[in-house]
Amino acid sequence: MSAAMAILAISALYLLLFAPAAAALLRPKAIVAIRAIYAIFFLALAVRYFGLPGLGEPVVLAKAPAVPIEAQQQDPCVAAIAQAEARGLVTDRSNPSLVQVDSVKWRRLPPEARAALNSCLDQARSPRARAFPIQIVED
């Protein structure tokens, strides 16, 4: 829809919405009928957006979860390590050369996933600690 058509459509909607009010100013005896027109209009809007019990589902606007900008730009390795720690796979990373993992969960992990997590754990260490290979200790 072009901008001109959108402006015309919005103008027509405003005219339709305010026409009964203009008629009430011109004909004060018609105010009861005009109030009924507005009541029906706003009731129809309420039914459309909130629904009535037993008459179907109301309109639901799509909601996307709020994701902080830092999380959107976060390194995939940082997210993988955080997820591994949250699930109890990685139990201790306090020593940069030794990473303790849950042996049962570690063995269930496919070899490709283990290699990727190992690489991510290695990248998360300081450059000085990367001079030595990382050791995975199973609990």
Side-chain angles (χ1 to χ4, degrees), residues 18 25-26 42 44 51 53-54 67 69 76-77 82 88 92 98 117 122:
F18 293 118
L25 290 174
L26 297 175
F42 286 113
V67 179
I69 293 174
C77 279
D92 185 24
L98 300 172
L117 185 59
D122 191 40

Coordinates of all heavy atoms in Angstrom, one line a residue, residues 18 25-26 42 44 51 53-54 67 69 76-77 82 88 92 98 117 122:
F18 N -15.7 9.8 13.6 CA -16.2 11.0 14.2 C -17.5 11.5 13.5 O -18.0 12.5 14.0 CB -15.1 12.1 14.1 CG -13.9 11.8 15.0 CD1 -12.7 11.6 14.4 CD2 -14.1 11.7 16.3 CE1 -11.6 11.3 15.2 CE2 -13.0 11.5 17.2 CZ -11.8 11.2 16.6
L25 N -23.8 16.9 17.2 CA -23.7 18.3 17.3 C -24.8 19.0 16.5 O -25.4 20.0 16.9 CB -22.4 18.9 16.9 CG -21.2 18.5 17.9 CD1 -19.9 18.9 17.2 CD2 -21.4 19.2 19.2
L26 N -25.1 18.4 15.3 CA -26.1 19.0 14.5 C -27.5 18.7 14.9 O -28.4 19.5 14.7 CB -25.8 18.6 13.0 CG -24.5 19.0 12.4 CD1 -24.3 18.4 11.0 CD2 -24.4 20.6 12.3
F42 N -17.3 0.3 20.2 CA -16.3 0.0 21.2 C -16.5 -1.4 21.8 O -15.5 -2.1 22.1 CB -16.3 1.0 22.4 CG -15.7 2.3 21.9 CD1 -16.4 3.4 21.8 CD2 -14.3 2.4 21.6 CE1 -15.8 4.6 21.4 CE2 -13.7 3.5 21.1 CZ -14.5 4.7 21.1
A44 N -17.6 -3.9 19.9 CA -17.0 -4.8 18.8 C -15.5 -4.8 18.9 O -14.9 -5.9 18.7 CB -17.5 -4.2 17.5
G51 N -12.0 -11.0 23.1 CA -12.8 -12.2 23.0 C -13.9 -12.3 24.1 O -13.9 -11.5 25.0
P53 N -16.0 -15.3 26.5 CA -15.9 -16.7 27.0 C -16.7 -17.6 26.1 O -17.9 -17.4 25.9 CB -16.3 -16.7 28.4 CG -16.2 -15.3 28.8 CD -16.4 -14.4 27.6
G54 N -16.1 -18.7 25.6 CA -16.8 -19.6 24.8 C -17.0 -19.3 23.3 O -17.6 -20.0 22.6
V67 N 15.7 -10.3 24.4 CA 17.1 -10.8 24.5 C 18.0 -9.6 24.6 O 18.0 -8.7 23.7 CB 17.4 -11.6 23.3 CG1 18.9 -12.1 23.3 CG2 16.5 -12.8 23.2
I69 N 21.2 -7.2 24.2 CA 22.1 -7.0 23.1 C 23.4 -7.8 23.3 O 23.9 -8.4 22.4 CB 22.4 -5.5 22.8 CG1 21.1 -4.9 22.4 CG2 23.5 -5.4 21.8 CD1 21.2 -3.4 22.2
P76 N 29.5 -17.8 20.5 CA 28.9 -19.1 20.6 C 29.6 -20.0 21.7 O 29.0 -20.8 22.3 CB 29.0 -19.8 19.2 CG 29.2 -18.7 18.3 CD 29.9 -17.6 19.1
C77 N 30.9 -19.9 21.8 CA 31.6 -20.7 22.8 C 31.2 -20.3 24.2 O 31.1 -21.2 25.0 CB 33.1 -20.5 22.6 SG 33.8 -21.5 21.3
A82 N 28.5 -21.9 29.1 CA 27.5 -21.5 30.1 C 26.4 -22.6 30.1 O 25.9 -23.0 31.2 CB 26.8 -20.2 29.8
G88 N 25.3 -29.1 34.3 CA 26.1 -29.9 35.2 C 27.1 -30.7 34.5 O 27.7 -31.6 35.1
D92 N 33.7 -27.8 37.4 CA 34.7 -26.9 38.0 C 35.7 -26.4 36.9 O 36.3 -27.2 36.2 CB 35.4 -27.5 39.1 CG 36.4 -26.6 39.8 OD1 36.1 -25.4 39.8 OD2 37.3 -27.0 40.5
L98 N 43.0 -27.4 34.3 CA 42.2 -28.5 34.5 C 40.8 -28.2 34.5 O 40.4 -27.2 35.2 CB 42.6 -29.2 35.9 CG 44.0 -29.6 36.1 CD1 44.3 -30.0 37.5 CD2 44.3 -30.8 35.2
L117 N 33.4 -28.6 22.6 CA 33.4 -28.1 23.9 C 34.8 -27.9 24.5 O 35.2 -26.9 25.1 CB 32.6 -28.9 24.9 CG 32.4 -28.4 26.3 CD1 31.7 -27.0 26.3 CD2 31.6 -29.3 27.1
D122 N 39.2 -24.3 25.8 CA 40.6 -23.8 25.6 C 40.6 -22.4 25.2 O 41.4 -21.6 25.6 CB 41.2 -24.7 24.5 CG 42.7 -24.5 24.4 OD1 43.3 -24.3 25.5 OD2 43.2 -24.4 23.3

